[in-house]
Amino acid sequence: MEVYPTPSDIALIDVYHLGRAHVIGTFLLLGDAPALIDPGPASTLPALKAGLDAHGLSVADLRAVVLTHIHLDHAGATGLLAVENSHLVVHVHERGAPHLIDPSRLLNSASLLYGDRMEQLWGNVRPVAPERIRVYTGGETLRLNGHTLRAFDAPGHAKHHLVWFDEANGAAFVGDNTGVRLPGVRMTRPATPPPDVDLEAWGRTHDLIEQLHPQWLCLTHFGAYDDVAFHLADARLRLRQWAEIVRQSLLAGHDEATGVATLEAALASEAATLSPVEQAAIIQQTGPLTLSWRGLARYWQKLGVSGVRS
Ligand SMILES: [Zn+2]
């Protein structure tokens, strides 16, 4: 088992999405009330269980699932975990809770994006019973026997996004709000899927994270990073750059394929300062940027940027 840098009372479990390392990770809060922050998709439950086992734990030992947001790659396993463990309590943004109770709308909209790959990618997404759910809007404190987590409303990537801040160790669980990064690589890339991308709100969320003065930024994709000032500055910069590339592409009247190619070319040139191995890893990890392009295009189209048809 690979061990990643984290605060000492937190472990990172790689759930090997589609068998690949460093794509989706879940954070295990160690202590008397073990909890998972973003358990990952339903499709990777066996790897999650193997990861728990490596820490001497099973699903039955968990006391809580804490969600940054309800996208399937972060929260899809929650229903299955709640079925297996009747003590499990789920902590989630108020706006996300209805989609845990009835995932059909979430699954339908994901089907539009992923088509017949849904089952392979995300697995068997089960509903969560309402009585197992605690909702948050930001400003609350969650105490989990040893860990005190403060909840903050954190829109930008998604309307139902929270940032959780573990005050004792300075770990901020930022979900997808500070982009995607690979262990050992000093570069972030934005995570901008449709439909909720909101750049203004996102900027405020970045301010909020900065003002927490975290010691660690804990990313589902992938890892905990303690070079916080660099990471945040890089995440802000890349998001601004990608947003502008997509805006210019829309203004130029590009079709989607051309727009996506423009974004991919930008990523390749941003990554040019990295080693060939790092470049290959980041480009393979990233895959096609269609969803990133669509999320940003949708933001600009909603805003009605001049010259952009809505
Ligand atoms: Zn997400």
Coordinates of all heavy atoms in Angstrom, one line a residue, residues 13-91:
I13 N -6.9 6.9 1.2 CA -7.0 5.6 0.6 C -7.3 5.8 -0.9 O -8.2 6.5 -1.3 CB -8.3 4.8 1.2 CG1 -8.0 4.5 2.7 CG2 -8.6 3.6 0.4 CD1 -9.2 4.0 3.4
D14 N -6.5 5.2 -1.8 CA -6.7 5.2 -3.2 C -7.7 4.2 -3.5 O -7.5 3.0 -3.2 CB -5.4 5.0 -3.9 CG -5.4 5.3 -5.4 OD1 -6.6 5.2 -6.0 OD2 -4.4 5.6 -6.0
V15 N -8.8 4.6 -4.2 CA -9.8 3.6 -4.5 C -9.7 3.0 -6.0 O -10.5 2.3 -6.5 CB -11.3 4.1 -4.3 CG1 -11.5 4.4 -2.8 CG2 -11.6 5.3 -5.2
Y16 N -8.6 3.4 -6.6 CA -8.2 2.8 -7.9 C -9.3 2.8 -8.9 O -9.8 1.7 -9.4 CB -7.6 1.4 -7.7 CG -6.3 1.5 -7.0 CD1 -6.3 1.2 -5.6 CD2 -5.1 1.8 -7.6 CE1 -5.1 1.2 -4.9 CE2 -3.9 1.9 -6.9 CZ -3.9 1.6 -5.5 OH -2.8 1.6 -4.8
H17 N -9.8 4.0 -9.3 CA -11.0 4.1 -10.2 C -10.6 3.5 -11.5 O -9.5 3.8 -12.1 CB -11.4 5.5 -10.4 CG -12.7 5.7 -11.1 ND1 -12.8 6.5 -12.2 CD2 -13.9 5.1 -10.9 CE1 -14.1 6.4 -12.6 NE2 -14.7 5.6 -11.8
L18 N -11.4 2.5 -12.0 CA -11.1 1.8 -13.3 C -9.7 1.2 -13.2 O -9.0 1.0 -14.2 CB -11.2 2.7 -14.5 CG -12.6 3.4 -14.7 CD1 -12.6 4.3 -15.9 CD2 -13.7 2.4 -14.8
G19 N -9.3 0.8 -12.0 CA -8.0 0.2 -11.8 C -6.8 1.2 -11.8 O -5.6 0.7 -11.7
R20 N -7.0 2.4 -12.0 CA -5.9 3.4 -12.1 C -5.7 4.1 -10.8 O -6.6 4.6 -10.1 CB -6.3 4.4 -13.2 CG -6.1 3.8 -14.6 CD -6.8 4.7 -15.6 NE -6.4 6.1 -15.6 CZ -7.1 7.1 -16.1 NH1 -8.2 6.8 -16.7 NH2 -6.6 8.3 -16.0
A21 N -4.4 4.3 -10.5 CA -4.0 5.0 -9.3 C -4.1 6.5 -9.4 O -4.1 7.0 -10.5 CB -2.5 4.6 -8.9
H22 N -4.3 7.2 -8.3 CA -4.2 8.6 -8.2 C -5.4 9.3 -9.0 O -5.2 10.5 -9.4 CB -2.9 9.2 -8.7 CG -1.7 8.6 -8.0 ND1 -0.4 8.6 -8.6 CD2 -1.6 7.9 -6.9 CE1 0.4 8.0 -7.7 NE2 -0.3 7.6 -6.7
V23 N -6.5 8.6 -9.2 CA -7.6 9.3 -9.8 C -8.6 9.7 -8.7 O -9.0 10.9 -8.7 CB -8.3 8.4 -10.8 CG1 -9.5 9.1 -11.5 CG2 -7.3 7.9 -11.9
I24 N -9.0 8.8 -7.9 CA -10.0 9.2 -6.8 C -9.5 8.6 -5.5 O -9.1 7.4 -5.4 CB -11.4 8.5 -7.1 CG1 -11.9 9.1 -8.4 CG2 -12.3 8.8 -5.9 CD1 -13.3 8.5 -8.8
G25 N -9.4 9.5 -4.5 CA -9.0 9.1 -3.2 C -10.1 9.4 -2.1 O -10.9 10.3 -2.4
T26 N -10.1 8.7 -1.1 CA -11.0 9.0 0.0 C -10.2 9.2 1.3 O -9.1 8.6 1.5 CB -12.1 7.9 0.3 OG1 -12.9 8.3 1.3 CG2 -11.5 6.6 0.6
F27 N -10.6 10.2 2.1 CA -9.8 10.5 3.3 C -10.5 9.8 4.5 O -11.7 10.0 4.7 CB -9.7 12.0 3.5 CG -8.8 12.7 2.5 CD1 -9.3 13.3 1.4 CD2 -7.4 12.7 2.7 CE1 -8.4 13.9 0.5 CE2 -6.6 13.2 1.8 CZ -7.1 13.8 0.7
L28 N -9.7 9.1 5.2 CA -10.1 8.4 6.4 C -9.7 9.1 7.7 O -8.5 9.4 7.9 CB -9.5 7.0 6.4 CG -9.6 6.1 7.7 CD1 -11.1 5.8 8.0 CD2 -8.8 4.8 7.5
L29 N -10.7 9.6 8.4 CA -10.4 10.3 9.7 C -10.2 9.2 10.7 O -11.1 8.5 11.0 CB -11.5 11.2 10.1 CG -12.0 12.3 9.1 CD1 -12.9 13.3 9.8 CD2 -10.8 13.0 8.6
L30 N -9.0 9.1 11.2 CA -8.7 8.0 12.2 C -9.1 8.5 13.6 O -9.3 9.7 13.9 CB -7.2 7.8 12.2 CG -6.7 7.3 10.8 CD1 -5.1 7.5 10.7 CD2 -7.0 5.8 10.6
G31 N -9.2 7.5 14.5 CA -9.6 7.9 15.9 C -10.7 7.0 16.3 O -11.0 5.9 15.7
D32 N -11.4 7.4 17.4 CA -12.4 6.6 18.1 C -13.7 6.5 17.2 O -14.5 5.6 17.4 CB -12.8 7.1 19.5 CG -11.6 7.0 20.4 OD1 -10.7 6.1 20.1 OD2 -11.6 7.7 21.4
A33 N -13.9 7.5 16.4 CA -15.1 7.5 15.5 C -14.7 7.6 14.1 O -14.8 8.7 13.5 CB -16.1 8.6 15.9
P34 N -14.2 6.5 13.5 CA -13.6 6.6 12.1 C -14.7 7.1 11.1 O -15.9 6.7 11.2 CB -13.2 5.2 11.8 CG -13.2 4.4 13.1 CD -14.1 5.1 14.0
A35 N -14.2 7.9 10.2 CA -15.2 8.5 9.3 C -14.5 8.7 7.9 O -13.2 8.8 7.9 CB -15.7 9.9 9.8
L36 N -15.3 8.7 6.9 CA -14.7 8.9 5.5 C -15.2 10.2 5.0 O -16.3 10.6 5.2 CB -15.2 7.8 4.6 CG -14.7 6.4 4.8 CD1 -15.4 5.4 3.8 CD2 -13.2 6.3 4.6
I37 N -14.3 11.0 4.4 CA -14.7 12.2 3.7 C -14.6 11.8 2.3 O -13.6 11.4 1.7 CB -13.7 13.3 4.0 CG1 -13.8 13.6 5.5 CG2 -14.1 14.5 3.2 CD1 -13.4 14.9 6.0
D38 N -15.8 11.9 1.6 CA -16.0 11.5 0.2 C -15.5 10.1 0.0 O -14.4 9.8 -0.4 CB -15.2 12.5 -0.7 CG -15.9 13.8 -0.8 OD1 -17.0 14.0 -0.2 OD2 -15.3 14.7 -1.5
P39 N -16.4 9.1 0.1 CA -16.0 7.7 0.0 C -15.7 7.2 -1.4 O -15.3 6.1 -1.6 CB -17.3 6.9 0.6 CG -18.4 7.9 0.3 CD -17.8 9.2 0.5
G40 N -16.0 8.1 -2.4 CA -15.8 7.7 -3.8 C -17.0 7.1 -4.4 O -18.1 7.0 -3.8
P41 N -16.9 6.6 -5.7 CA -18.0 6.0 -6.4 C -18.4 4.6 -5.9 O -17.6 3.9 -5.3 CB -17.6 6.0 -7.8 CG -16.1 5.9 -7.8 CD -15.7 6.6 -6.5
A42 N -19.6 4.2 -6.2 CA -20.1 2.9 -5.8 C -19.2 1.8 -6.5 O -19.0 0.7 -5.9 CB -21.6 2.7 -6.2
S43 N -18.7 2.1 -7.7 CA -18.0 1.1 -8.4 C -16.7 0.7 -7.8 O -16.1 -0.3 -8.1 CB -17.7 1.7 -9.9 OG -17.1 2.9 -9.8
T44 N -16.1 1.5 -6.9 CA -14.8 1.2 -6.3 C -14.9 0.8 -4.8 O -13.9 0.7 -4.1 CB -13.9 2.5 -6.4 OG1 -14.6 3.6 -5.7 CG2 -13.6 2.8 -7.8
L45 N -16.1 0.3 -4.4 CA -16.3 -0.1 -3.0 C -15.3 -1.2 -2.6 O -14.8 -1.2 -1.5 CB -17.7 -0.5 -2.8 CG -18.2 -0.7 -1.4 CD1 -17.9 0.6 -0.5 CD2 -19.7 -1.0 -1.3
P46 N -15.0 -2.2 -3.5 CA -14.1 -3.3 -3.0 C -12.7 -2.7 -2.7 O -12.1 -3.1 -1.7 CB -14.0 -4.2 -4.3 CG -15.3 -4.0 -4.9 CD -15.7 -2.6 -4.7
A47 N -12.2 -1.8 -3.5 CA -10.9 -1.2 -3.2 C -11.0 -0.3 -1.9 O -10.0 -0.3 -1.2 CB -10.5 -0.3 -4.4
L48 N -12.1 0.3 -1.7 CA -12.3 1.1 -0.5 C -12.2 0.2 0.7 O -11.5 0.4 1.7 CB -13.6 1.9 -0.5 CG -14.0 2.6 0.8 CD1 -13.0 3.6 1.2 CD2 -15.4 3.2 0.7
K49 N -12.9 -1.0 0.6 CA -12.9 -1.9 1.7 C -11.5 -2.5 2.0 O -11.0 -2.6 3.1 CB -13.8 -3.1 1.4 CG -15.3 -2.7 1.5 CD -16.2 -3.9 1.2 CE -17.6 -3.5 1.4 NZ -18.6 -4.5 1.0
A50 N -10.7 -2.7 0.9 CA -9.3 -3.2 1.0 C -8.5 -2.1 1.7 O -7.6 -2.4 2.6 CB -8.7 -3.5 -0.3
G51 N -8.8 -0.8 1.4 CA -8.0 0.3 2.0 C -8.4 0.4 3.5 O -7.5 0.6 4.3
L52 N -9.6 0.2 3.9 CA -10.0 0.2 5.3 C -9.3 -0.9 6.0 O -8.8 -0.8 7.1 CB -11.5 0.1 5.4 CG -12.4 1.3 5.0 CD1 -13.9 1.0 5.0 CD2 -12.1 2.5 6.0
D53 N -9.3 -2.1 5.4 CA -8.7 -3.3 6.0 C -7.3 -3.1 6.3 O -6.8 -3.5 7.3 CB -8.9 -4.5 5.0 CG -8.5 -5.8 5.6 OD1 -9.1 -6.1 6.7 OD2 -7.6 -6.4 5.1
A54 N -6.6 -2.3 5.4 CA -5.2 -2.1 5.6 C -5.0 -1.2 6.9 O -3.9 -1.2 7.5 CB -4.6 -1.3 4.4
H55 N -6.0 -0.5 7.4 CA -6.0 0.2 8.6 C -6.6 -0.5 9.7 O -7.0 0.1 10.8 CB -6.6 1.6 8.4 CG -5.8 2.5 7.5 ND1 -4.7 3.2 7.9 CD2 -5.9 2.7 6.2 CE1 -4.2 3.9 6.9 NE2 -4.9 3.6 5.8
G56 N -6.9 -1.8 9.5 CA -7.6 -2.6 10.6 C -9.0 -2.3 10.8 O -9.6 -2.5 11.9
L57 N -9.7 -1.7 9.8 CA -11.1 -1.3 9.9 C -11.9 -2.0 8.8 O -11.4 -2.5 7.8 CB -11.2 0.2 9.7 CG -10.5 1.1 10.7 CD1 -10.5 2.5 10.3 CD2 -11.2 1.0 12.1
S58 N -13.2 -2.0 9.1 CA -14.2 -2.5 8.1 C -15.3 -1.4 8.0 O -15.4 -0.5 8.8 CB -14.8 -3.8 8.5 OG -15.7 -3.7 9.6
V59 N -16.2 -1.6 7.1 CA -17.3 -0.7 6.9 C -18.1 -0.6 8.2 O -18.6 0.5 8.6 CB -18.2 -1.1 5.7 CG1 -19.5 -0.3 5.7 CG2 -17.5 -1.1 4.4
A60 N -18.2 -1.7 8.9 CA -19.0 -1.7 10.2 C -18.4 -0.8 11.2 O -19.1 -0.3 12.2 CB -19.1 -3.1 10.7
D61 N -17.1 -0.5 11.1 CA -16.5 0.4 12.1 C -16.7 1.9 11.9 O -16.4 2.7 12.8 CB -14.9 0.2 12.1 CG -14.6 -1.3 12.5 OD1 -15.1 -1.7 13.6 OD2 -13.8 -1.9 11.8
L62 N -17.2 2.2 10.7 CA -17.3 3.6 10.3 C -18.5 4.2 11.1 O -19.5 3.6 11.3 CB -17.6 3.8 8.8 CG -16.4 3.3 7.9 CD1 -16.9 3.4 6.5 CD2 -15.2 4.2 8.1
R63 N -18.3 5.5 11.5 CA -19.4 6.2 12.2 C -20.0 7.3 11.3 O -21.2 7.7 11.6 CB -18.9 6.8 13.5 CG -18.7 5.8 14.6 CD -20.0 5.1 14.9 NE -19.9 3.9 15.7 CZ -19.9 2.7 15.2 NH1 -19.9 2.5 13.9 NH2 -19.8 1.6 15.9
A64 N -19.3 7.7 10.3 CA -19.9 8.8 9.5 C -19.3 8.8 8.1 O -18.1 8.4 7.9 CB -19.6 10.2 10.2
V65 N -20.1 9.3 7.2 CA -19.6 9.7 5.9 C -19.8 11.2 5.8 O -20.9 11.7 6.0 CB -20.3 9.0 4.7 CG1 -20.1 9.7 3.4 CG2 -19.8 7.5 4.7
V66 N -18.7 12.0 5.5 CA -18.8 13.4 5.4 C -18.6 13.7 3.9 O -17.6 13.3 3.3 CB -17.7 14.1 6.3 CG1 -17.8 15.6 6.2 CG2 -17.9 13.6 7.7
L67 N -19.5 14.5 3.3 CA -19.4 14.7 1.8 C -19.1 16.2 1.6 O -19.7 17.1 2.1 CB -20.7 14.4 1.2 CG -21.2 12.9 1.3 CD1 -22.6 12.7 0.7 CD2 -20.2 12.0 0.6
T68 N -18.1 16.4 0.7 CA -17.9 17.7 0.2 C -19.0 18.1 -0.8 O -19.5 19.2 -0.8 CB -16.5 17.9 -0.5 OG1 -16.5 17.1 -1.7 CG2 -15.4 17.6 0.4
H69 N -19.3 17.2 -1.7 CA -20.4 17.4 -2.6 C -20.9 16.1 -3.1 O -20.3 15.1 -2.9 CB -20.1 18.4 -3.7 CG -19.0 18.0 -4.6 ND1 -17.7 17.7 -4.2 CD2 -19.0 17.9 -6.0 CE1 -17.0 17.4 -5.3 NE2 -17.7 17.5 -6.4
I70 N -22.0 16.1 -3.9 CA -22.7 14.8 -4.2 C -22.4 14.3 -5.6 O -23.0 13.3 -6.0 CB -24.2 14.9 -3.9 CG1 -24.8 16.1 -4.7 CG2 -24.5 15.0 -2.4 CD1 -25.9 15.7 -5.6
H71 N -21.4 14.8 -6.3 CA -21.0 14.2 -7.6 C -20.7 12.8 -7.3 O -20.1 12.4 -6.3 CB -19.9 15.0 -8.2 CG -20.3 16.3 -8.8 ND1 -19.4 17.3 -9.1 CD2 -21.5 16.8 -9.2 CE1 -20.1 18.3 -9.6 NE2 -21.3 18.0 -9.7
L72 N -21.0 11.9 -8.4 CA -20.9 10.5 -8.2 C -19.5 10.0 -7.9 O -19.3 9.0 -7.2 CB -21.4 9.8 -9.4 CG -22.9 10.0 -9.7 CD1 -23.2 9.4 -11.1 CD2 -23.7 9.3 -8.7
D73 N -18.5 10.7 -8.4 CA -17.1 10.3 -8.1 C -16.7 10.5 -6.7 O -15.7 10.0 -6.2 CB -16.1 10.9 -9.1 CG -16.2 12.4 -9.2 OD1 -17.3 13.0 -8.9 OD2 -15.3 13.1 -9.6
H74 N -17.4 11.4 -6.0 CA -17.2 11.6 -4.5 C -18.1 10.9 -3.6 O -17.7 10.5 -2.5 CB -17.3 13.2 -4.3 CG -16.3 14.0 -5.0 ND1 -15.3 14.6 -4.3 CD2 -16.2 14.3 -6.3 CE1 -14.5 15.3 -5.2 NE2 -15.0 15.1 -6.4
A75 N -19.3 10.8 -4.0 CA -20.4 10.4 -3.0 C -21.2 9.1 -3.4 O -22.0 8.7 -2.7 CB -21.4 11.5 -2.8
G76 N -20.9 8.6 -4.6 CA -21.7 7.5 -5.1 C -21.8 6.3 -4.3 O -22.8 5.5 -4.3
A77 N -20.8 6.0 -3.5 CA -20.8 4.8 -2.6 C -21.6 5.0 -1.3 O -21.8 4.0 -0.6 CB -19.3 4.4 -2.2
T78 N -22.1 6.2 -1.1 CA -22.7 6.5 0.3 C -23.8 5.6 0.6 O -24.0 5.0 1.7 CB -23.1 7.9 0.3 OG1 -22.0 8.8 0.0 CG2 -23.6 8.3 1.7
G79 N -24.7 5.4 -0.4 CA -25.9 4.5 -0.2 C -25.6 3.1 0.1 O -26.1 2.5 1.1
L80 N -24.6 2.5 -0.6 CA -24.2 1.1 -0.3 C -23.6 1.0 1.1 O -23.8 0.1 1.8 CB -23.2 0.7 -1.4 CG -23.7 0.3 -2.8 CD1 -22.5 0.0 -3.7 CD2 -24.6 -0.9 -2.7
L81 N -22.8 2.0 1.5 CA -22.2 2.0 2.8 C -23.2 2.1 3.9 O -23.2 1.4 4.9 CB -21.2 3.2 3.0 CG -19.9 3.1 2.1 CD1 -19.2 4.4 2.2 CD2 -19.0 1.9 2.6
A82 N -24.3 2.9 3.6 CA -25.3 3.1 4.6 C -26.2 1.8 4.7 O -26.7 1.4 5.8 CB -26.2 4.3 4.3
V83 N -26.3 1.0 3.6 CA -27.0 -0.3 3.7 C -26.2 -1.2 4.5 O -26.7 -2.0 5.3 CB -27.2 -0.8 2.2 CG1 -27.7 -2.3 2.3 CG2 -28.2 0.0 1.5
E84 N -24.9 -1.2 4.4 CA -24.0 -2.2 5.1 C -23.8 -1.9 6.5 O -23.5 -2.7 7.3 CB -22.7 -2.3 4.4 CG -22.7 -3.0 3.1 CD -21.3 -3.4 2.6 OE1 -20.4 -3.6 3.4 OE2 -21.1 -3.5 1.4
N85 N -24.0 -0.6 6.9 CA -23.7 -0.2 8.3 C -24.9 0.7 8.7 O -25.0 1.9 8.4 CB -22.4 0.6 8.3 CG -22.1 1.2 9.6 OD1 -23.0 1.3 10.5 ND2 -20.8 1.6 9.8
S86 N -25.7 0.1 9.6 CA -26.9 0.8 10.0 C -26.7 2.0 11.0 O -27.6 2.7 11.3 CB -27.9 -0.2 10.6 OG -27.3 -0.8 11.7
H87 N -25.4 2.1 11.5 CA -25.1 3.2 12.4 C -24.5 4.5 11.6 O -24.3 5.5 12.2 CB -24.0 2.8 13.4 CG -24.4 1.7 14.2 ND1 -25.5 1.7 15.2 CD2 -24.0 0.4 14.2 CE1 -25.6 0.5 15.7 NE2 -24.7 -0.3 15.2
L88 N -24.3 4.3 10.4 CA -23.6 5.3 9.6 C -24.5 6.6 9.4 O -25.6 6.5 9.0 CB -23.3 4.7 8.2 CG -22.2 5.5 7.5 CD1 -20.8 5.3 8.1 CD2 -22.2 4.9 6.0
V89 N -23.9 7.7 9.8 CA -24.6 9.0 9.6 C -23.9 9.7 8.5 O -22.7 9.7 8.4 CB -24.6 9.8 10.9 CG1 -25.3 11.2 10.7 CG2 -25.4 9.0 12.0
V90 N -24.7 10.4 7.6 CA -24.2 11.1 6.4 C -24.3 12.6 6.6 O -25.4 13.1 6.9 CB -24.9 10.6 5.1 CG1 -24.4 11.3 3.9 CG2 -24.8 9.1 5.0
H91 N -23.2 13.3 6.4 CA -23.2 14.8 6.6 C -23.0 15.4 5.2 O -22.0 15.1 4.5 CB -22.1 15.2 7.5 CG -22.2 14.5 8.9 ND1 -23.0 15.0 9.9 CD2 -21.8 13.3 9.3 CE1 -22.9 14.2 11.0 NE2 -22.2 13.1 10.6

